Amino acid sequence: MKHFKKILERLNNKVFACCAVLLFLFSMLPLWYLAFYARPSGDDYGYSALTHAAWLDTHSLIEVLKAAVTTVINNYNSWNGDWVTTFLFSLMPEVFAPYSFWIVPFIMTGAVIAATWVFMHEICVKIAKIPITDCIIYTSLLLLAGYQFIPSTAIGMYWYVGSVHYMLPHAVGLLGLAWLSDFMRTGRRSRVLLLTFSAFFVGGSSYFTSLLLFMVLVAVFVLGWRKGRKKVMYLLIPFLVGMICFIIQCKAPGNAARGGENFGFNASLAVYTVLESLRRGITTIISYLREKTFVFVILFVIALFGMGSMDKATEKGKFSFPFPLLFVIFMYGCFSSMFAPEVYSEIYDSIEISLGPATIRYFVFLLTSALSILYCEGWVMVRIKKKKIFSGEKYRFRILFPGLLAAALFLLADRDWMHVCVDREAVEYVVSGQAEDFREQIASQMKILLDDSIKDAYLVPTNPEQGPLMHMPVTTDEDAFTNWAVKEFYRKDKVVMQQ
């Protein structure tokens, strides 16, 4: 028994942090391996046709950027208003080099991982004074849950246009929130400049992350007005820049073309959107409870470590975690606001909704839930600190270790999560041979598409089983959108699938 206790004593949070990082990185290996099978399709080609032509004709980056601006103008007037991300849509890697698409999943996941770490480090270490090892644990666990049960792997990493449209603004928005916190904490004006860049990027790219950033900016402005009016006045700069970019996005003629002539702002619809978003937030959390039990086990583990973190934080930190109920309500408001763009657009039947909104909502849910748990635990620890209920050893042996054991036993008993996690889908896709079939079929297509002497391209069919990947196949209808997009990108007279 004493020997076993000595082993447990060695399991400090540094060990747990290393294990959490390794677990997350190991879980990402199948997803990153599939990056070398990923291919552009559909919109990836459509938005990049002009820039690809400019590169082939001139090999001039300036001409490519001019073509990107033309793409933005064309789409702004005819299809969608997210002008910042449309600019990036047109710079898909294969504009410059064939078979370079493999880098996209690494860029998209890398951006979200880095931004999540910067955000969590600012909130946990700099504000709450939590040990950095604990912050590493929380960040790794949140990313593990995020990517293993992501609603759409295509949006998350394998579809260039989808991931740029949703995940990249999410990452930039998290950086913006970290820079906002840094400015309020240190007063460094350089952070206002960085926050303004974030507001510019997000305002011109994502309705979802724009709402999140605006809500937090307004909350910080109101809460900081009494103690530091001069400081919070600087926040008007990023707020106004973000709002101008957001309005430019909303006012795009392409929105009306896509949503119909009646598309626009309506006050009664706005009220309905708020109420319906709050309702859907509750129903979605209930559905998560039924379908994503693994996620709530992760949140439970974060709560276990959080008690020890807040015990340490309250010893040296000055933050008193006031108004926990108000904080939780605000976090729920941030989460439920992620439904608003979808609810609003549903009125207009012509607007098709992808899994992008569901993916962003899920990532915001994870962050807001974890922050709510840690904040409430901080409030509790501040109140009971003087009573000396907790001590380091008692906490670890009476709460942390038994709790971790209970979580492990629950996951072993209820293994449904293993059947729906993304890693299983990725491994099965590779082991079954379907991934290799897909690669060979794409190689056969590319041989034809890259041959400038062939103007009428008749392609072999691709494997319909795509696993976690994203591919919009060319069809037998040469007038279909994907056929047209591939034809324009590779400068063919005709692109059609062989029957």
Side-chain angles (χ1 to χ4, degrees):
M1 189 67 180
K2 291 182 179 179
H3 181 67
F4 181 67
K5 186 175 181 180
K6 287 182 179 180
I7 293 176
L8 291 180
E9 287 174 349
R10 294 176 183 175
L11 294 178
N12 55 38
N13 282 15
K14 289 183 180 180
V15 174
F16 283 122
C18 290
C19 292
V21 170
L22 291 174
L23 180 62
F24 168 64
L25 293 177
F26 182 78
S27 74
M28 293 298 292
L29 291 180
L31 305 183
W32 286 332
Y33 179 76
L34 279 184
F36 300 100
Y37 292 87
R39 295 297 304 154
S41 64
D43 290 338
D44 296 340
Y45 286 126
Y47 282 104
S48 300
L50 293 180
T51 50
H52 187 227
W55 180 253
L56 291 177
D57 291 338
T58 67
H59 278 74
S60 167
L61 184 58
I62 293 177
E63 293 302 317
V64 170
L65 295 178
K66 288 181 180 178
V69 172
T70 301
T71 302
V72 171
I73 294 171
N74 292 343
N75 282 275
Y76 185 82
N77 289 315
S78 64
W79 186 244
N80 59 317
D82 49 329
W83 49 281
V84 170
T85 41
T86 299
F87 182 83
L88 296 177
F89 292 165
S90 65
L91 301 177
M92 190 256 295
E94 300 218 358
V95 164
F96 307 99
Y99 289 107
S100 59
F101 195 81
W102 61 269
I103 198 173
V104 171
F106 289 99
I107 292 175
M108 297 307 161
T109 56
V112 172
I113 292 168
T116 303
W117 165 249
V118 171
F119 173 77
M120 290 296 291
H121 183 268
E122 171 62 27
I123 301 302
C124 294
V125 178
K126 298 298 184 180
I127 298 295
K129 305 301 181 184
I130 290 174
I132 192 170
T133 52
D134 297 14
C135 181
I136 292 173
I137 293 171
Y138 305 143
T139 306
S140 299
L141 292 177
L142 289 174
L143 290 169
L144 171 68
Y147 280 108
Q148 283 305 305
F149 298 93
I150 189 171
S152 171
T153 51
I155 297 295
M157 65 199 86
Y158 297 123
W159 180 24
Y160 179 72
V161 166
S163 55
V164 168
H165 185 57
Y166 291 101
M167 302 309 292
L168 206 55
H170 175 69
V172 175
L174 289 182
L175 291 175
L177 294 176
W179 292 327
L180 168 61
S181 174
D182 193 323
F183 169 69
M184 295 304 296
R185 180 172 53 82
T186 66
R188 288 189 288 183
R189 295 179 187 179
S190 62
R191 296 301 182 263
V192 177
L193 182 62
L194 291 171
L195 175 58
T196 301
F197 163 76
S198 175
F200 172 88
F201 187 100
V202 169
S205 62
S206 170
Y207 296 122
F208 301 91
T209 309
S210 292
L211 288 174
L212 180 63
L213 188 58
F214 291 150
M215 287 178 66
V216 176
L217 275 170
V218 170
V220 172
F221 189 91
V222 171
L223 294 174
W225 179 256
R226 183 175 297 179
K227 292 185 177 180
R229 296 185 182 183
K230 186 176 180 180
K231 180 185 288 188
V232 298
M233 287 297 290
Y234 281 103
L235 299 182
L236 290 177
I237 299 173
F239 183 84
L240 291 174
V241 168
M243 187 58 68
I244 290 170
C245 295
F246 183 77
I247 292 172
I248 292 173
Q249 181 182 184
C250 294
K251 290 293 185 179
N255 291 334
R258 188 175 184 179
E261 60 182 13
N262 294 323
F263 185 81
F265 179 76
N266 181 292
S268 60
L269 180 55
V271 173
Y272 164 78
T273 297
V274 172
L275 297 177
E276 178 64 11
S277 296
L278 292 171
R279 186 193 70 82
R280 291 193 188 186
I282 296 173
T283 58
T284 300
I285 292 174
I286 294 173
S287 71
Y288 286 166
L289 275 167
R290 293 197 303 264
E291 301 166 7
K292 301 180 187 294
T293 53
F294 181 91
V295 172
F296 287 87
V297 173
I298 291 293
L299 293 175
F300 172 71
V301 171
I302 288 175
L304 288 175
F305 282 100
M307 297 176 70
S309 297
M310 291 306 170
D311 184 45
K312 301 169 189 173
T314 51
E315 288 179 355
K316 54 183 178 179
K318 296 180 180 179
F319 194 71
S320 60
F321 301 92
F323 312 115
L325 180 60
L326 184 62
F327 182 83
V328 172
I329 291 173
F330 181 71
M331 287 293 100
Y332 177 74
C334 290
F335 166 64
S336 62
S337 70
M338 298 298 100
F339 292 88
E342 181 178 339
V343 172
Y344 195 91
S345 64
E346 282 176 352
I347 304 300
Y348 307 95
D349 295 334
S350 59
I351 296 181
E352 186 177 348
I353 299 172
S354 70
L355 283 174
T359 302
I360 290 300
R361 284 196 298 268
Y362 175 58
F363 272 76
V364 172
F365 166 77
L366 289 173
L367 285 172
T368 53
S369 298
L371 293 180
S372 296
I373 290 169
L374 294 174
Y375 192 99
C376 290
E377 288 183 326
W379 181 84
V380 170
M381 294 307 299
V382 168
R383 271 69 195 169
I384 68 174
K385 195 68 180 177
K386 295 180 180 179
K387 299 181 181 180
K388 298 182 179 180
I389 296 177
F390 279 94
S391 70
E393 186 174 345
K394 287 182 179 179
Y395 150 73
R396 297 184 74 79
F397 283 95
R398 297 183 182 180
I399 296 178
L400 179 62
F401 293 138
L404 292 177
L405 179 60
L409 291 175
F410 178 84
L411 291 178
L412 288 174
D414 181 18
R415 289 180 288 181
D416 287 343
W417 60 272
M418 293 184 183
H419 301 287
V420 295
C421 69
V422 174
D423 270 356
R424 180 183 180 118
E425 185 182 6
V427 170
E428 288 181 347
Y429 186 58
V430 174
V431 172
S432 66
Q434 293 171 343
E436 197 59 38
D437 287 345
F438 178 73
R439 191 201 323 244
E440 292 175 359
Q441 291 153 3
I442 287 295
S444 175
Q445 291 187 358
M446 290 295 290
K447 185 177 180 180
I448 297 171
L449 293 171
L450 292 174
D451 189 340
D452 292 335
S453 66
I454 300 176
K455 292 303 179 183
D456 292 344
Y458 292 89
L459 307 181
V460 297
T462 56
N463 187 347
E465 299 297 331
Q466 299 174 14
L469 298 180
M470 167 69 177
H471 186 66
M472 302 177 191
V474 170
T475 69
T476 54
D477 178 9
E478 64 179 277
D479 295 323
F481 169 75
T482 300
N483 296 52
W484 172 85
V486 175
K487 179 186 73 172
E488 292 296 312
F489 188 88
Y490 289 105
R491 294 175 157 185
K492 303 298 182 182
D493 294 333
K494 177 193 293 187
V495 171
V496 66
M497 188 70 70
Q498 295 179 12
Q499 297 190 27

